[in-house]
Amino acid sequence: MRRILRNIWINLFFLLLSIYYEITFIMNNKPLAYSTTLNGDQLFHINRLHGLSKVFTSPIVFDNYHQVGNGVNYFYPWLTFYPAELLSKLLHSEARGIIVFLVIVTYLTFSVAYYSCKIYLNWNAKKSILFSFLWTFSSYRGVNFFNRTDIGELLATIFIPLVLMSFISLLKDKKYKNWIVLAIGMSLIMLSHILSTLMMIIVFILVMIMNSNYLKDIKIWVSLIISAVATSLMTMMYWLPMIQQQKYIGISRPAKVILYDWALDMGNLINRSFNNNYLLPNLGIMVIMVILLGIIKFNELKNIDKIIMVQSLIFLWLCTKYFPWQLLQETFFNYIQFPWRFIIVVTLFTSILGAKWISKLNSKYIFILIVAICISHYAFVLGLPEKNALKINSDQSIENICKEYTNQDYYPKAATNNSKSIENKEFIFNSKNVSIANLKIKATEYSFTVLNNNTHKVTVDVPILYYLGIKADSNNKLISTNVSKRGTVSIDVEKGKSKITVYSEYTRLAKLAQKISLISSILILIIGIVNFYRKRYIRLE
């Protein structure tokens, strides 16, 4: 009973901290906004939210992303973001829905970090709370939350400690059944943010290299292989339809940048980190202090802490121009785009060390430190620029953004060269004496009337991007759709008056992948629940 009450109090504490974390959004004195100075991802993700209303049946929504039918849902994972849509429906407001969703995201970041430490590192409550606090209030997460509002990366941040700590426990404690948690955690990361998945694989490789003595156990390899297969099956609903679309239609990827240019100069990174704000990606003063202390006291550290320290320094190196990013420019690493993304991994390892060391301090000093971090956090949020900021704190502003915002990521490649005509909603015909009337754009339907005054069929190039699964009806009869030269939907229309409705469905392969993912997830959850209760029963005996 005492343990239950303690868990309730700890989770209430996390909930209060989560509300405080974004109190400026809730009180509206510094609302969620897109700043042209900071150039974050707020507009992209608000359009994603708006596009989730019918995502289980219609992968493409026509009333967002400038109403061109952008197939973002095929290429950017959406399942863990879907609760924001449910909250929007429940609260009858997308603006309120996203705010409540972000509170829940922060609460889960606290809670999952805490229980990961408790369960997989066998830490006490004090040390686990400190880790969850350092992790959730880290400067890099603050930049992601308030500056960039990268929803995908924020969602991945919930599960990263769970994945790393269950992986370490699998290696060192020979907890072979951790493959279940590892598979679920990696699946949730992949279904949140694909780049975080790639980064976690890099983390795994480094951890395995630095702990290679544990890899002599064949059972560990078996567990890792099973986990990888399980992860592939549970996430098939995302990666298989994406590959199908990319193979059939050339898709424009997010911007390919010069990695070296986006790596950070070490001097600038340290300077930013001591300034410790949310204006630019930085380590934050807590991470800097842990690194400095770790270097100074390196010879006095335990072996495990030395390994964690070295891993922190390696990933810090990856953030900077000192790493030879030029050599990896034409490899799959260029999908990472910004080498400073590895700050999240540096933060992860240093938060583990920081929690260990700070827990040894007097409770009075720990309390002062926590209060100082909370006050600093509030000041950093208020310090974000207000000029040239587009507020996203009302449903009307969200609706306007979805109508006007353009983003050419995931366009068919042919469409990127013709984006202006598509976004201007220009219809193209292969004959004269044809006109368009009654254009209506709804979430799942793009309808219009074609007046064909010729005596023969005409081909109409519709300003809607073409993806597999796009369908069209003419006078309530299914007609064939093709891809035009500009990467849009092309249809043949009979003479006379035709009412055309364009809509989208998942392909047969995508529907099969969804079923496989659902069945796999249910089976793995059942296995996990059975193992949990079996372990509990043995413990009680």
Side-chain angles (χ1 to χ4, degrees), residues 115-151:
Y115 287 108
S116 297
C117 291
K118 288 276 288 178
I119 295 168
Y120 298 107
L121 299 185
N122 294 315
W123 281 7
N124 59 31
K126 181 182 179 181
K127 209 185 294 185
S128 301
I129 289 171
L130 280 169
F131 171 80
S132 68
F133 185 83
L134 293 174
W135 175 244
T136 308
F137 271 89
S138 64
S139 287
Y140 184 73
R141 186 176 183 276
V143 171
N144 260 348
F145 197 103
F146 295 98
N147 176 327
R148 301 177 64 229
T149 316
D150 188 334
I151 300 291

Side-chain angles (χ1 to χ4, degrees), residues 60 68-69 245 248-249 251 411-412 415 464-470 481-484 487-490:
I60 295 172
V68 298
Q245 294 287 345
Y248 187 82
I249 305 163
I251 300 294
Y411 271 31
I464 288 292
L465 304 174
Y466 184 87
Y467 301 94
L468 291 174
I470 284 283
T481 56
N482 298 293
V483 58
S484 72
T488 50
V489 176
S490 175

Side-chain angles (χ1 to χ4, degrees), residues 25 28 30-35 40-47 49 93-96 98-99 102 148-149 389-399 401-402:
F25 287 0
N28 211 33
K30 192 83 172 185
L32 178 63
Y34 168 76
S35 169
D41 289 340
Q42 292 89 346
L43 305 185
F44 174 75
H45 289 290
I46 282 295
N47 272 268
L49 171 61
S93 166
E94 287 182 336
R96 287 194 292 269
I98 190 67
I99 298 304
L102 288 172
R148 301 177 64 229
T149 316
L390 175 60
K391 294 181 179 178
I392 311 173
N393 60 344
S394 71
D395 291 333
Q396 187 59 54
S397 66
I398 290 174
E399 185 178 340
I401 288 166
C402 292

